[in-house]
Each structure stands twice: as C-alpha cells, then as structure tokens.
Amino acid sequence: MNAVLTPRAESGNRTTQQWQAADAAHFLHPFTDFKALARKGSRVITRAEDIYLWDSEGKKILDAMSGLWCVNVGYGQRALIDAATRQLETLPFYNAFFQTATPPAIELAELLAEVSPPQFQHVFFSGSGSEGNDTIVRMVRRYWDILGQPERQVIISRKNAYHGSTMAGASLGGMAGMHAQGGLPIPGIVHIDQPYWFENAAAGVSRDEFGLVAARWLEARILEIGADKVAAFIGEPVQGAGGVIVPPATYWPEIQRICDQYGILLVSDEVITGFGRTGHWFGCETMGTRPDLMTFAKGVTSGYIPLGGVMVGDRVANVLIEQGGEFNHGYTYSGHPVACAVALANIKLVRELGLVQRVHDDVGPYLAQAFAQLAEHPLVGEAQTCGLMGALLLVKDKTGRGDRGTPFASDLEVGMICRGHCFANGLIMRAVGDRMIIAPPLVITRGQIDEMVALIRRCLDLTLADVRARGLDR
Ligand SMILES: Cc1ncc(COP(=O)(O)O)c(C=O)c1O
C-alpha cells in the first residue's frame, strides 16, 4: 500500500525561515557547533544542475567542491537517475551475506577490477569511505593473523590525514580535534608528520629534498616500532580534507620503496582521489605507487547515492581466499543493488565522456595555469593543483621565511573571512585553516573554470581589503 504523504512531508515551498527553524529544532549536522548554527541558520540548498546549486532564496551558486568531493559527473545526469529508478523497480534490496548476490553488485565488482590497476581483481563493498577504512583495519590485521604474524598490528598513518569519522576512520585520520573527542586513536594506530613543505620543511630545503625527508619519517617510525610489528601504512595520495596538500614528486616513490623493503602493506585511501580526480583513474597511478589495498567511495557514484568499498590487491586477496576461511565482517549494505546500479551508470558515463583523460590533458592543465596566475595575488603564498583539486594558501606576506612566506596567526581565521566572501558571492570554496580549496566536478568546462577563477579573484580582493581594513596584515 502506498503511504499517504502529509502536506508537511510533501511541502517543498516553506520559506527559508521555516526551513531554518525546523532544521535548528531537529537536525544535528556533521562537524558542526549545533548551537552556533541554530543561532545563525543553515543555508538550505534546494536544487542543482551541472556544476551549479540553488538555495531556498533562489540564489545560484557555483559548486567548486563537487558537493563534498563527490559529484564528479555534475548534477542532473539522466543516466544515473534512470539506473536508480530501474533498479528500485526491479530489486530495491537484497543482501550478499547468505551466499547470495545481485547482478548490479557482480557487474560493478567486475567493472571496478577493469578500471583499477592490474593488481586489483577483488572488491569488498561498504556504504561509505569511513566504513571502507574500518574494513581496511579489520582486513590488514586479519591478513597478518592468517600468515602467522599476529603481532603485526600497527598501522602507520599521518598527522592531518582524513580517513573518516567512525572509530577506526577517525583513528586512522590524524586530526587532533577528532582525537580529542572520545579517546582516540584506538590502540595500534600511530601517526607521522605530513609531507607539507610550507609547514614542515626546514629552512632552505627544496620541495624535492623535503619529499625524501618526509618519506623517511616513515622508515624511522618503522625502525622505532620494529618492522615485525607494523602491518600497514595508509595515506591519501593528495591529502584532501587536510587542505589539498600535494606532496613533492619524490615523496610517494620513496614511501613505496620503504613499504617494499620492510614488507609492509601499502594502503591508498582513494576516497577523494579515485575515479579521475587527479587525471588518472586512481591517485596512486598519478603518484606512481602500487598499493595493496585502496579505499574508495564518493566518486564511485558521483555522490548520487552512498557507496564505498575496498579494492583488495592480489597479495591480500589470495591469502584471505586461499587460507582465511570465513572473514567475520560485512555490512547490511555491502553491495547494495541500487547503489551498485548507480555506480555502474556513473563509471560508464565517466568513460563515455572521457573525463579521466580530459582532466589529464585539458581541464587539469588549464586549472593549473589559472592557479599559477592566482599565485601572483598579494594574499596568495602558495598555489597548488593536482588534476582538478586545488589549494591557495593565504599568507600575511609572500616574502618572509626565505622563499616560503609568512602565515597569518591562526586565530585571525583569515580563511573563514575569505570563505564568507565566497558564500556571499555565489561560490562554494572551502577553507581549511588559511588554505582555500576546490575540487570542482570533472565535467567543468574551460569557460566555467574562467568563471570560477574570476569569482575566486574577486573574493581574494575582498578578503585582502578586509585584512587591510582590520589591520590583520600588521
Ligand atoms: C580520504 C578520505 N577517506 C575517507 C573519508 C570518509 O568517507 P565518508 O565520509 O564517506 O565516510 C573521506 C571523506 O571525506 C576522505 O576524504
């Protein structure tokens, strides 16, 4: 029987104030100061098309963050909508626990193996990136158990990494603010410093020299713990939520060497960098590593519906399959047929539109050029891009600290001032400290990049005027 919708549930026509009041009364938002937001009121996003959003006031906004790093094919793609509708009508759900499978899950597993680097022939599905990283922790520890080395428990990650918000995801992540709430990290997870040249390099050290130094922090930590106790190293090819920190070109190859030398599993968290974002199907291909495991989510469905998982390389898969017996782990929504149907349509569309190549050959280099010009702005100390991810670091003066520039004091929150101007000027750009970051949909055109960059420039000018008027540059 069809449910009868009440007028309240149907209404799309409340005023912004009515939406905000109901939101403040009932909806606890992620990573939010609930009380402060209730006082201010949420911005209510009501529809979207291509790379643009509209809010409940009818204002058009250029979404330079692809939702939350996920809407790679842009909004309103008919192929994804139809795939979901068809699958909902045919089989909205069945699980994969009881020696059962559904056609979309099987087909997606096959297609993921095809687009992933050759060592990946198997996939374990989850509902999100965080769950995928929980699976990573269970799987790498299980792998070493099966091999008779149960003391190999420690997973090494990096400060300022983001690997999700569940207990394991937040523990793998290196966000001090998250660790401070709830007694994290869980045992057996440790963090080394990140390859962030601007903050962590000693004076006079070039980016490439620093890449090697930063990678060798891993080696030092392995030797300190004892290689026979270390299970894996996990990293995002480009740290995303940490501020789009593109590592020096020397960093990842040296990490690979170290993992190989000590026999440690290498895990590439591709939740942001997967499915074309960096100009290859996966960020590990851009960085030149051969990971044993890859976490994915977001871009697998372009965010149209939740789905995540872990690509399991042959080294691990062969042990789990041949010697492991039952793996006591899984989620109700592992291989959800509707999510898998949408992912299939999404990946096929990425292929049809040639988006990965386009990021690599066309819009990626075009964005890099535009960001190189923005680097000339008096407020910008560093401009970095990798494919269609980019960051502008706002600095107090471009010439301090040798060739690096002097940062603003963090309590001035200059990044938040800039974000405020972006919000007011119809641009979604995120602030991570004073790093202003973007990751626009991969379908963005050159013309739209020009439009985005003009908006960014205007917001930088407005921020600079504010900074000067308030004397924050002194
Ligand atoms: C690199 C990385 N890993 C994991 C996650 C967690 O994914 P989810 O929010 O789907 O749980 C994120 C989310 O932004 C991420 O950026």
Side-chain angles (χ1 to χ4, degrees), residues 68-69 127-133 161-166 235-238 240-241 269-273 295-298 307-308 430:
L68 202 51
W69 322 87
S128 68
S130 299
E131 285 178 4
N133 280 327
Y162 189 78
H163 296 296
S165 196
T166 53
E236 306 151 76
V238 175
D269 183 336
E270 301 272 358
V271 167
I272 286 177
T273 49
T295 322
F296 65 86
K298 297 188 188 277
L307 179 69
R430 185 163 158 187

Side-chain angles (χ1 to χ4, degrees), residues 49-50 73-82 304 349 353 443:
E49 189 62 37
D50 190 23
V73 295
Y75 298 94
Q77 291 286 1
R78 182 46 52 194
L80 278 64
I81 299 163
D82 288 347
Y304 278 47
L349 186 63
L353 299 176
V443 290

Side-chain angles (χ1 to χ4, degrees), residues 13-24:
N13 54 2
R14 297 193 209 184
T15 65
T16 300
Q17 287 77 9
Q18 287 169 332
W19 284 122
Q20 287 174 333
D23 178 55

